[in-house]
Amino acid sequence: MLIIMRVGATQAQIENVVHRIESNGFKAHLSAGDVRSVIGVVGDNPIHKKEQFVRVDGVDRIVPISRPFKLASREFIPADTHIQVNGITIGGGTGVTIIAGPCSVESRAQILEIAHAVKEAGAHVLRGGAFKPRTSPYSFQGMGEKGLELLAEAREETGLPIVTEVMAPEQVPLVSKYADMLQLGARNMQNFNLLHAVGESRHPVLLKRGNASMIDELLMAAEYILSHGNRKVILCERGIRTFETATRNTADINAIPVLKSMTHLPVFLDPSHSTGNWKLVSPIARAGVAAGADGLIVEVHNNPDEALSDGAQSLKPERFAELVRQIQGIAAFMRDNVTPEYLE
Ligand code: PEP
Ligand code: MN
């Protein structure tokens, strides 16, 4: 629930309310506005304790929050969250952030060549998997720590921050030693131990939607991370499983404006896993940005035919450079002409 303080409520009255919230075993989240302060109350059904707050000095009214997620919801935190990753700002109104790189780090030459190519094309962050969640145990499983070292070398050479997947809670310290942002993959969206572990990290987290997860479930997964203290969560739509077999997954473009209306967290689209086919990556990336995505994560490979994972959906660097130019155009159009309906 939200406790709306009266206009002109004193600092002492605000502190008193915060103290009462905490002594009831809840957490208080204070937003000090220009006109009045609003205090969010987080915990297990605080609305049941509403009576304890209605008549306290300085309190104007109590507003229940209808959603099961609190810290992730726009009702709770209306303004877009901005997340800093090594000098780059991600989130609503800051432009479209482009993450690009191979599905997997395969060799030193491969990752360095692709890192330079995507940097040149205008990418802001480098991606590359070192620990890979593969459907088959016989498929390439990633280079492990050696892959992380190579990513760090690519960052050193290009200046691009790096994002890479972490698959298990015990890997969080190792992956955090190298990465600027932790990717939590679709298969792990409801791995609650992992959500807890990245929630205790201070690294930004790119949380991918499970391929059979509802939007509410994605937001509840984000709530796990937020409630453990890590407020730097970026959500990523990456395609869901439907009856359609013409594409690897079905890009849920709807999810972008739906999420933007429900949450203040940045919303990204992965057009590569959404489609599974490089020819569909650019159209769906363009659609995602036109739908209001704050960023994209795109697989790029210098030699897709020989890629050890996801070659079929990887763009060659020249094609990626063309996509970046188009995205910049669409992003500028959006910034200058579009007021999002989801905020009405
Ligand atoms: C990936 O980004 O390479 C990946 C495995 O993504 P997802 O978890 O969305 O399948
Ligand atoms: Mn991949």
Side-chain angles (χ1 to χ4, degrees):
M1 68 186 182
L2 293 176
I3 299 179
I4 318 289
M5 299 300 290
R6 284 184 204 285
V7 175
T10 65
Q11 191 57 31
Q13 289 171 333
I14 294 171
E15 279 166 19
N16 178 44
V17 172
V18 169
H19 177 72
R20 276 178 183 249
I21 292 168
E22 289 169 352
S23 52
N24 273 280
F26 302 124
K27 284 200 172 131
H29 189 280
L30 176 64
S31 315
D34 288 343
V35 181
R36 59 166 98 215
S37 295
V38 174
I39 308 172
V41 187
V42 186
D44 192 14
N45 274 319
I47 200 70
H48 293 159
K49 298 269 178 80
K50 178 180 170 196
E51 293 311 318
Q52 307 226 10
F53 297 94
V54 271
R55 272 173 289 278
V56 175
D57 284 348
V59 171
D60 182 9
R61 61 186 196 282
I62 310 275
V63 178
I65 294 204
S66 51
R67 313 267 192 204
F69 43 89
K70 312 292 177 199
L71 298 171
S73 84
R74 247 199 217 283
E75 280 173 285
F76 208 93
I77 302 173
D80 285 328
T81 282
H82 293 157
I83 295 171
Q84 307 292 332
V85 185
N86 260 5
I88 288 167
T89 307
I90 295 174
T94 61
V96 174
T97 303
I98 303 179
I99 304 175
C103 179
S104 303
V105 180
E106 300 171 6
S107 68
R108 184 166 183 275
Q110 177 246 20
I111 190 65
L112 293 181
E113 183 177 335
I114 298 172
H116 282 287
V118 299
K119 160 92 184 190
E120 180 100 338
H124 306 101
V125 178
L126 176 67
R127 64 151 289 151
F131 296 99
K132 293 303 301 179
R134 305 304 303 281
T135 301
S136 165
Y138 307 117
S139 301
F140 176 59
Q141 304 285 310
M143 293 181 76
E145 186 167 2
K146 182 70 199 162
L148 299 176
E149 286 170 16
L150 294 175
L151 282 168
E153 191 178 340
R155 170 179 53 208
E156 196 83 345
E157 284 204 4
T158 61
L160 292 175
I162 54 183
V163 58
T164 193
E165 180 159 353
V166 56
M167 283 175 48
E170 57 276 13
Q171 275 176 359
V172 173
L174 174 71
V175 176
S176 303
K177 210 169 86 187
Y178 295 93
D180 301 290
M181 198 193 303
L182 306 174
Q183 178 172 326
L184 212 141
R187 292 158 188 79
N188 272 316
M189 189 202 86
Q190 283 187 318
N191 179 337
F192 297 108
N193 292 333
L194 184 55
L195 293 168
H196 184 151
V198 299
E200 286 186 345
S201 154
R202 289 297 161 261
H203 278 58
V205 177
L206 181 72
L207 175 64
K208 299 186 89 176
R209 178 181 180 186
N211 75 354
S213 295
M214 294 186 301
I215 288 171
D216 264 15
E217 292 168 325
L218 171 61
L219 289 166
M220 287 309 273
E223 190 79 11
Y224 265 86
I225 302 173
L226 299 166
S227 67
H228 282 104
N230 187 347
R231 300 298 168 92
K232 299 180 214 157
V233 180
I234 297 156
L235 305 170
C236 183
E237 163 60 38
R238 48 76 74 206
I240 51 174
R241 187 166 287 186
T242 67
F243 57 81
E244 183 54 71
T245 55
T247 50
R248 180 178 180 183
N249 290 293
T250 297
D252 184 6
I253 297 287
N254 294 359
I256 297 165
V258 170
L259 282 166
K260 294 288 298 177
S261 72
M262 293 166 88
T263 182
H264 51 89
L265 297 171
V267 176
F268 277 40
L269 174 70
D270 172 345
S272 311
H273 295 85
S274 283
T275 58
N277 176 347
W278 72 265
K279 291 187 183 175
L280 304 176
V281 168
S282 296
I284 296 306
R286 295 191 295 261
V289 174
D294 298 308
L296 298 170
I297 176 166
V298 183
E299 288 186 339
V300 177
H301 202 287
N302 52 349
N303 185 3
D305 292 343
E306 304 289 329
L308 296 181
S309 60
D310 288 348
Q313 66 194 33
S314 297
L315 294 183
K316 290 185 181 165
E318 316 77 68
R319 185 76 65 170
F320 172 69
E322 189 185 357
L323 173 61
V324 173
R325 286 193 291 275
Q326 295 168 344
I327 294 302
Q328 286 164 345
I330 299 170
F333 177 87
M334 297 289 292
R335 187 194 59 225
D336 297 340
N337 298 283
V338 177
T339 309
E341 293 83 353
Y342 57 75
L343 292 179
E344 284 176 16

